[in-house]
Amino acid sequence: MKPNNLESLWMPFTPNKAFKKDPRIIVSAKGMHFTSDDGRLILDGTAGLWACNASHGRSKITEAVARQLEELDYSPPFQFGHPKQFELANRLSEIFPEGMNHVFFSNSGSEAVESALKIALAYQRSRGKGSKTRLIGSEKGYHGTNFAGISVGGMVKNRMYYGSLLSGVDHIRHTHLPELNSYSRGQPEHGAELAEDLERLVQLHDASTIAAIILEPVKGSSGVYPPPKGYLERIREICTKHDILLIFDEVISGFGRLGKATGSEYFGVTPDMITCAKGITNATIPMGATVVQDFIYETMIENADAPIELFHGYTYSGHPVACAAALATLDIYKEESLFENAAKMAPVIEEAAHSLKGTKHIIDIRNIGVIAALELETKEGALGQRGFNTMKKCWDMGLMVRTNGDTLAFSPPLVLNESHVDQIFTTVKNALEQVD
Ligand SMILES: Cc1ncc(COP(=O)(O)O)c(C=O)c1O
């Protein structure tokens, strides 16, 4: 099953040279497991890439996709519609926070972010506030890899190679306070006051120049940082006070990862837009969505200065096959009460993760919902090496983990049970004891 030449492919976010010398090849997946090319079962500790929330090989999705390809393989999304995209938008409105009844489809989290930021600018202009053009992000934020996303994002390696990025962008501080919050269970106690950093930017730039701020409710890709208690609430207050749109990037926190349909619902903080992707189709078919409050959509429609109110879209926006996959995925989430199972398993994961305190190399443990992170001490002069070696050791021992630098992240499919949790944390403990 091994591809005989690995050279032609340029793999994303991968050290290509090292990978091709010692590849990790996945050939199939079912339920909670991948199968490697040497026939080993690998427990999926990461739902692929925070994405396969309903686990793998779900026949309901496969059948819906196959049926859709037979019935309508494609229809153009500009000026023409097909039934499933309307149905899916309605279904999403039902599970997203009240007032968020309008959905713009794209093909990835990065595009959902790009769409949200463009909608924010176009909305401000359409209501006569065209000077509100500034976009705010945060340090340690991850919003995908397109230019707007890396501009508002706060991960240095994702930004430093790409020139001066989008202009008119600023960042608030991150909320990682290891000296105060190490080994917090769930939301840390300290750091709500860091929301005032948005006030600082308002004082610096004036609210009349700021269109929107985008934040992940839980920072995921930069290393799993749940928001301090009270932080998101305060951000919401400042946005409302200064008439700044609040965008929650829920590409990870959406679709049950925190035990609710959205992080917004989990935290009880309603933004003006939500971006999502990944779990929307269980990652089977690429899809992203930007869900907006009614007032944004209605303003854009009412104030349109041309027959088309938003000059934006993609060839594959609301692709029929992606819509079919998403509808089947939403059915599974509901029929199998997977968000509820996630809520039930969250304390089990918390307990198991924190039981590793004191294990070799670990300097912090963070968790929320069905997400946990083990931060390892960085080897001198070799940032990320220990994380990488642990990931490889886990792979050899039959477990997929995700690394960011020296932080190991866990986000298994939401169908998991106690024995999966046990296997994940027993394996990683053993792996850590064996790596340098
Ligand atoms: C919060 C967040 N936003 C955006 C993205 C980008 O999504 P994609 O890789 O589908 O473009 C990700 C991906 O991990 C993410 O975690």
Side-chain angles (χ1 to χ4, degrees):
M1 297 281 267
K2 216 171 220 160
N4 55 14
N5 182 359
L6 307 185
E7 266 319 302
S8 302
L9 178 68
W10 193 346
M11 298 173 70
F13 278 122
T14 300
N16 272 258
K17 198 168 160 190
F19 182 93
K20 287 163 189 178
K21 273 199 200 127
D22 181 18
R24 292 169 294 284
I25 307 286
I26 297 163
V27 293
S28 64
K30 190 75 192 165
M32 287 289 293
H33 293 90
F34 290 110
T35 304
S36 61
D37 62 345
D38 52 356
R40 294 179 308 115
L41 279 184
I42 309 287
L43 179 63
D44 183 2
T46 57
L49 210 40
W50 323 78
C52 308
N53 292 2
S55 81
H56 298 274
R58 300 304 311 249
S59 49
K60 190 173 186 122
I61 303 174
T62 314
E63 285 155 18
V65 165
R67 263 198 317 274
Q68 187 59 45
L69 277 167
E70 286 292 334
E71 186 181 300
L72 174 69
D73 55 353
Y74 177 74
S75 73
F78 310 161
Q79 305 281 7
F80 300 94
H82 68 83
K84 286 205 176 66
Q85 60 185 343
F86 299 105
E87 189 186 343
L88 178 58
N90 288 328
R91 290 276 300 277
L92 291 172
S93 315
E94 279 166 21
I95 61 169
F96 274 58
E98 214 182 314
M100 305 195 81
N101 297 311
H102 299 281
V103 183
F104 190 94
F105 287 119
S106 53
N107 310 291
S108 65
S110 298
E111 287 182 358
V113 165
E114 192 82 9
S115 302
L117 296 174
K118 288 176 75 174
I119 289 170
L121 296 177
Y123 161 77
Q124 299 293 11
R125 184 184 150 116
S126 86
R127 66 196 273 252
K129 303 229 169 168
S131 69
K132 284 170 97 59
T133 56
R134 204 173 285 282
L135 300 170
I136 309 290
S138 64
E139 295 170 350
K140 291 191 189 291
Y142 182 72
H143 302 292
T145 49
N146 288 351
F147 263 106
I150 60 173
S151 300
V152 292
M155 291 176 67
V156 61
K157 289 281 181 201
N158 295 354
R159 296 163 50 86
M160 62 185 271
Y161 301 102
Y162 305 109
S164 49
L165 309 179
L166 204 64
S167 63
V169 171
D170 213 335
H171 295 75
I172 59 171
R173 283 188 58 189
H174 64 72
T175 58
H176 182 39
L177 301 172
E179 62 288 0
L180 295 173
N181 286 329
S182 286
Y183 296 101
S184 290
R185 289 172 177 244
Q187 289 186 263
E189 291 294 332
H190 305 282
E193 66 283 0
L194 290 169
E196 301 306 326
D197 212 35
L198 182 54
E199 276 285 1
R200 178 181 66 84
L201 292 186
V202 172
Q203 300 314 316
L204 179 66
H205 298 298
D206 199 76
S208 66
T209 71
I210 303 176
I213 178 169
I214 183 165
L215 294 174
E216 300 157 87
V218 177
K219 287 186 168 56
S221 297
S222 64
V224 179
Y225 301 100
K229 286 181 184 158
Y231 177 81
L232 295 176
E233 291 84 341
R234 183 67 188 126
I235 291 279
R236 175 67 271 181
E237 280 171 15
I238 297 170
C239 286
T240 305
K241 176 174 154 202
H242 293 296
D243 189 22
I244 295 167
L245 290 174
L246 175 59
I247 305 167
F248 275 175
D249 186 346
E250 297 231 32
V251 167
I252 284 176
S253 59
F255 302 104
R257 184 60 45 205
L258 302 180
K260 298 282 185 193
T262 56
S264 314
E265 183 185 346
Y266 179 85
F267 292 113
V269 177
T270 306
D272 303 306
M273 287 192 237
I274 291 178
T275 55
C276 59
K278 296 190 189 271
I280 192 171
T281 59
N282 204 34
T284 52
I285 307 285
M287 176 171 246
T290 304
V291 186
V292 310
Q293 288 277 359
D294 297 345
F295 71 85
I296 294 177
Y297 177 80
E298 283 157 13
T299 302
M300 295 282 295
I301 300 281
E302 274 160 30
N303 297 349
D305 58 4
I308 292 172
E309 72 285 343
L310 181 68
F311 282 85
H312 177 61
Y314 303 96
T315 299
Y316 308 116
S317 285
H319 193 289
V321 178
C323 289
L327 287 165
T329 301
L330 294 183
D331 285 345
I332 293 176
Y333 291 152
K334 194 166 172 192
E335 287 160 13
E336 300 182 10
S337 304
L338 289 189
F339 302 170
E340 291 77 3
N341 192 55
K344 193 183 100 193
M345 293 308 295
V348 180
I349 290 175
E350 177 171 292
E351 207 46 50
H354 284 273
S355 75
L356 264 59
K357 189 172 180 181
T359 303
K360 198 170 147 195
H361 306 313
I362 290 181
I363 55 169
D364 192 11
I365 298 172
R366 300 182 283 275
N367 74 285
I368 191 159
V370 182
I371 306 177
L374 307 176
E375 185 171 340
L376 312 181
E377 191 174 10
T378 295
K379 258 183 139 168
E380 216 181 305
L383 176 68
Q385 194 187 316
R386 186 168 276 149
F388 180 74
N389 290 346
T390 312
M391 180 274 283
K392 270 180 45 174
K393 179 64 76 184
C394 286
W395 167 261
D396 292 341
M397 296 169 81
L399 172 68
M400 179 176 287
V401 310
R402 169 121 193 89
T403 50
N404 175 270
D406 288 304
T407 297
L408 310 175
F410 304 86
S411 56
L414 309 180
V415 303
L416 82 169
N417 61 33
E418 280 83 357
S419 73
H420 300 122
V421 177
D422 189 50
Q423 191 186 335
I424 289 171
F425 290 99
T426 308
T427 308
V428 73
K429 189 175 181 8
N430 288 339
L432 282 168
E433 271 151 13
Q434 292 175 42
V435 299
D436 250 3

